[in-house]
Amino acid sequence: MSALAPGPPAARPPSLDGGWGWAIVASGFLALLLGYGSPQSVGVLYPEWLLAFGEGKAMTAWVGSLVAGVGLIVGPICSVCVVNFGARPVTVFSGVMVAGGLMLSSFAPNIPFLIFSYGIVVGVGVGLLYTATLTITCQYFDKKRGLALGIVSTGTSVGGFLYATLQSQLIELLGLDGCLLIIGALALNVVACAGPMRPLTPPRYYLKQRAAILEQRLQEEEELYNQKPSAKDQVTTKTKEPLVRRRSLFSCSAFIKMIKVKMRQYTQSLSSMLSLLRDRVLMALCISLFFFSLGNFPPQLFLEDLAQSSGLTEGVASISLVSLILIGGVVGKLGLGVIADVPRVDSVLLYALTVGVSGLSVLLIPLTSSYLDLQVLSVVLGFLSGNWTLTPYVISQVVGAEKLAEAHGILMFFGGVGITLGPPVIGCFYDFCQSYDVAFFISGGGMMVGSTFLFLAALLQQPPPKTPPPPAMAPETELIGCTVTMETDTTSPVT
């Protein structure tokens, strides 16, 4: 068969950039909308928790900080789950976790319980959901991957914008507990969104189990072939075989051996994941994302308070700054995704540019003198926060699609640490200086440093220009040609 001849249907590569891939995009968009709706608009619940439990602002703020950061911190674990079990089972499990955490939060007696139920349980659930949806989307798209990721990740911003109004209305009608119960019931629909997420290749856990079953069958057939028991001993063999298997299964040595095998597999998986950090661009990307998450997330929580404490909201009746950030995020995720699909655009440099401009925008926040300036900066920060769409696209360009899940988990860990530490760090600076200026200057400067690191790593990693082959190869090539010619002459029929 020639190299250009089409193979059998089972051997053909799956069709990408269309077809069933758009069903994956639609299901991923709805799943992120339903799962991230409440965590993205946690600012609506924050004042209600302050009134209900009477705790301090710093203690209560940990709920929103953890729900945004924990899901990213456990990114490596989420990636291992997606690689071993597939996107569909992980999405089902994440839907149950998010819904259960929200419903459990409606019965919270105090803030520590709420930190566990809402901050940790819901946070881990949305982390699993985010990793699963982006991974399965990258598998179904190649040339249009940026657009597909932009549409899917837009679900988080759209969900936050819609749930901000929905939760406010539900609190007025049903109270805080009833609101969380209804939101938790809506989150159960994430389980249905997992249906279209059909895997292109079997998950690693399924392949391992299938290989183990086949190996066991081969061993049993080989033992039966080698032993060949006589007809007289067949009865005793059949009666003793289940007992021997049962003893070997529950014996201490077999249990310890199984634990050692599992620990060896987990160690190899972890070492393989950490070996990815040897890549200079990936390491710079992790540092850049850490500084970006540390400085970009706090403005969503503190900009409105800054405007009120500075007296900039007097006589102003317009849309809130948080809503402007969310609207800008929707446009940014779609726009940056489309830009990343342009053939001549380097996605790594594009991401570094968004981080640098975000840092510049944060540096300008203390210099604003009107509410209109804060509104403009809110839209700019929201648009640039859409670079979360670029993270899986950049990773696939740096380490390849086959290592996407592992590298994405490592990257999300750095981003989660930055998001978790961002609000407390800004709050500590405010308590010490009684001003947001120093905090925003430091966070904006850190983002500029992270952008510079990524720029330098990307430029140094550029492939060298193509050069013609060295002249030393020419004599060797001619010598091989002469040898073949001489052998042809000696075998000729001329005498």
Side-chain angles (χ1 to χ4, degrees):
M1 182 181 294
S2 63
L4 299 177
R12 292 178 182 173
S15 58
L16 302 178
D17 299 309
W20 192 254
W22 295 115
I24 302 294
V25 170
S27 62
F29 174 85
L30 290 176
L32 292 181
L33 187 150
L34 295 169
Y36 271 89
S38 182
Q40 284 289 99
S41 58
V42 68
V44 177
L45 303 175
Y46 178 74
E48 302 296 329
W49 287 332
L50 286 174
L51 294 176
F53 301 109
E55 294 285 351
K57 292 185 178 181
M59 184 70 174
T60 309
W62 275 105
V63 181
S65 179
L66 286 175
V67 75
V70 165
L72 300 179
I73 291 176
V74 299
I77 301 176
C78 298
S79 299
V80 171
C81 293
V82 174
V83 170
N84 285 275
F85 302 105
R88 181 183 289 171
V90 172
T91 302
V92 172
F93 184 74
S94 66
V96 175
M97 281 196 69
V98 174
L102 290 172
M103 293 180 180
L104 192 63
S105 299
S106 64
F107 302 98
N110 48 43
I111 289 295
F113 186 90
L114 198 63
I115 289 176
F116 167 75
S117 62
Y118 195 96
I120 297 179
V121 177
V122 177
V124 173
V126 294
L128 289 168
L129 179 62
Y130 188 78
T131 305
T133 51
L134 294 191
T135 301
I136 192 68
T137 303
C138 288
Q139 292 175 357
Y140 270 85
F141 286 88
D142 184 18
K143 297 180 181 179
K144 300 179 182 179
R145 184 176 295 168
L147 176 61
L149 289 172
I151 296 174
V152 171
S153 58
T154 301
T156 60
S157 300
V158 175
F161 182 76
L162 296 178
Y163 272 59
T165 304
L166 178 62
Q167 290 185 141
S168 300
Q169 297 296 326
L170 290 176
I171 289 173
E172 294 181 1
L173 295 175
L174 305 174
L176 180 60
D177 298 341
C179 171
L180 291 173
L181 284 175
I182 298 298
I183 297 299
L186 290 175
L188 277 175
N189 291 285
V190 174
V191 177
C193 296
M197 297 182 182
R198 183 176 59 197
L200 291 176
T201 57
R204 186 177 297 176
Y205 179 80
Y206 171 79
L207 295 176
K208 290 181 179 179
Q209 294 296 320
R210 186 177 180 181
I213 293 173
L214 293 176
E215 184 179 359
Q216 183 180 1
R217 289 180 180 178
L218 290 175
Q219 290 179 356
E220 291 178 356
E221 292 178 359
E222 185 178 358
E223 291 177 358
L224 292 175
Y225 179 77
N226 293 332
Q227 293 178 1
K228 291 184 179 180
S230 60
K232 184 178 180 180
D233 298 335
Q234 286 183 357
V235 179
T236 51
T237 304
K238 290 181 180 179
T239 54
K240 290 182 179 180
E241 186 178 2
L243 182 60
V244 173
R245 287 184 179 179
R246 193 176 297 111
R247 287 178 180 175
S248 63
L249 180 63
F250 291 98
S251 63
C252 183
S253 60
F255 182 71
I256 294 176
K257 184 178 180 181
M258 182 183 65
I259 292 179
K260 290 182 178 179
V261 171
K262 292 296 183 183
M263 291 300 296
R264 191 181 303 113
Q265 292 176 354
Y266 293 146
T267 303
Q268 292 175 355
S269 178
L270 182 60
S271 62
S272 175
M273 184 178 296
L274 294 178
S275 64
L276 295 174
L277 292 176
R278 298 175 184 174
D279 190 288
R280 193 184 326 179
V281 178
L282 182 61
M283 192 63 201
L285 188 62
C286 293
I287 297 174
S288 178
L289 181 61
F290 170 77
F291 282 111
F292 175 78
S293 303
L294 190 68
N296 185 267
F297 182 67
Q300 300 184 23
L301 300 178
F302 298 111
L303 267 185
E304 201 69 46
D305 184 45
L306 172 65
Q308 294 177 2
S309 60
S310 302
L312 300 179
T313 58
E314 297 179 0
V316 178
S318 60
I319 189 170
S320 65
L321 299 177
V322 177
S323 299
L324 289 176
I325 293 176
L326 292 173
I327 294 174
V330 173
V331 180
K333 289 175 180 178
L334 290 174
L336 293 175
V338 173
I339 294 174
D341 284 333
V342 178
R344 295 186 179 181
V345 173
D346 191 326
S347 57
V348 180
L349 297 179
L350 177 61
Y351 185 86
L353 178 63
T354 59
V355 176
V357 178
S358 296
L360 180 62
S361 302
V362 174
L363 289 174
L364 293 176
I365 289 177
L367 305 178
T368 55
S369 57
S370 65
Y371 194 74
L372 179 61
D373 296 337
L374 289 179
Q375 288 178 324
V376 174
L377 289 177
S378 298
V379 174
V380 173
L381 287 172
F383 179 85
L384 296 173
S385 67
N387 65 358
W388 286 95
T389 302
L390 301 176
T391 52
Y393 194 96
V394 173
I395 294 172
S396 62
Q397 297 295 322
V398 175
V399 300
E402 62 278 357
K403 294 291 184 179
L404 172 64
E406 291 89 343
H408 187 269
I410 296 174
L411 195 66
M412 291 301 103
F413 174 81
F414 282 87
V417 173
I419 288 179
T420 304
L421 296 179
V425 168
I426 298 294
C428 289
F429 275 109
Y430 181 82
D431 293 338
F432 182 77
C433 304
Q434 294 299 314
S435 175
Y436 286 111
D437 295 349
V438 177
F440 283 132
F441 280 137
I442 293 178
S443 59
M447 295 166 70
M448 299 289 288
V449 170
S451 174
T452 304
F453 269 115
L454 188 55
F455 262 119
L456 294 176
L459 293 176
L460 294 176
Q461 194 75 9
Q462 293 291 335
K466 294 183 179 181
T467 57
M473 294 296 294
E476 183 180 357
T477 307
E478 294 176 1
L479 179 60
I480 295 175
C482 293
T483 303
V484 174
T485 305
M486 291 177 65
E487 291 179 358
T488 306
D489 294 339
T490 56
T491 56
S492 61
V494 180
T495 58

